[in-house]
Amino acid sequence: MTNNILTFTLDNCLYAFKVFKVQEVLVYSAPVKVPCSSEYVEGLINSRDQGISVINLRKKFKLPVIDTDSETRIIVVEVAKPTENDPDHIVTFGAICDSVQEVLEVEEIEIEPPPKFGNNISSEFISGIVKKDDNFIIILDEEKIFSDEDLVKKDNQKN
């Protein structure tokens, strides 16, 4: 089975989200700050007439924070968060990355399980790793990155 992944960089490493979870890629624009949010939540942006919480992946993964530049992008990702009333509930988040690279096709058999140690980021956020050419690409698990904790804070902000 073939998977399409969108590759992007963080701290000179290649990461990816599954393409079917990506709604769009936006040129970086500064989010509106929201009080009382987690350190890694940068704020809100407007996309398709919808307010979207934006998470700084560098901060979430405890990587060095750098200034944004012309390559900085916000990847808008759809995350399944079923509720009691709506088992098909989808929440949309933005993820700030250093740059977006390309969409790649990878075979399921090429995807290895995440390593248990030796990562800059917690293995709980990784769904797999694939080697392309001489590069390793870390495929992220968006369901775990955009956690229920983020949803609770976002929901509290609406009140």
Side-chain angles (χ1 to χ4, degrees), residues 1-5 104-108 110-111 130 132:
M1 181 176 176
T2 302
N3 292 289
N4 289 326
I5 57 174
L104 294 175
E105 274 189 10
V106 295
E107 295 297 326
E108 191 73 37
E110 295 177 88
I111 300 173
V130 66
K132 280 289 187 188

Side-chain angles (χ1 to χ4, degrees), residues 11-116:
D11 202 32
N12 296 315
C13 292
L14 275 174
Y15 294 87
F17 285 124
K18 297 171 208 101
V19 166
F20 75 91
K21 294 288 190 168
V22 176
Q23 187 178 82
E24 62 186 325
V25 176
L26 303 171
V27 172
Y28 178 83
S29 62
V32 174
K33 295 286 185 194
V34 178
C36 303
S37 57
S38 299
E39 175 190 342
Y40 53 83
V41 177
E42 292 293 318
L44 294 172
I45 60 168
N46 183 18
S47 175
R48 301 181 185 196
D49 290 328
Q50 178 183 5
I52 297 173
S53 290
V54 176
I55 291 177
N56 186 321
L57 290 176
R58 280 180 166 268
K59 288 181 181 178
K60 178 86 175 185
F61 299 153
K62 297 179 177 30
L63 297 170
V65 178
I66 62 170
D67 291 334
T68 59
D69 62 24
S70 63
E71 296 294 314
T72 306
R73 297 291 183 264
I74 299 174
I75 302 171
V76 179
V77 181
E78 295 177 341
V79 181
K81 291 294 178 184
T83 65
E84 197 173 299
N85 297 333
D86 184 2
D88 298 321
H89 185 68
I90 300 290
V91 178
T92 307
F93 284 95
I96 299 172
C97 65
D98 297 349
S99 67
V100 169
Q101 300 301 298
E102 62 184 327
V103 173
L104 294 175
E105 274 189 10
V106 295
E107 295 297 326
E108 191 73 37
I109 196 163
E110 295 177 88
I111 300 173
E112 299 176 23
K116 300 294 182 209

Side-chain angles (χ1 to χ4, degrees), residues 5 7 14-16 104 128-132 135-139:
I5 57 174
T7 61
L14 275 174
Y15 294 87
L104 294 175
I129 294 182
V130 66
K131 187 171 194 279
K132 280 289 187 188
N135 297 310
F136 285 100
I137 302 168
I138 299 169
I139 303 171

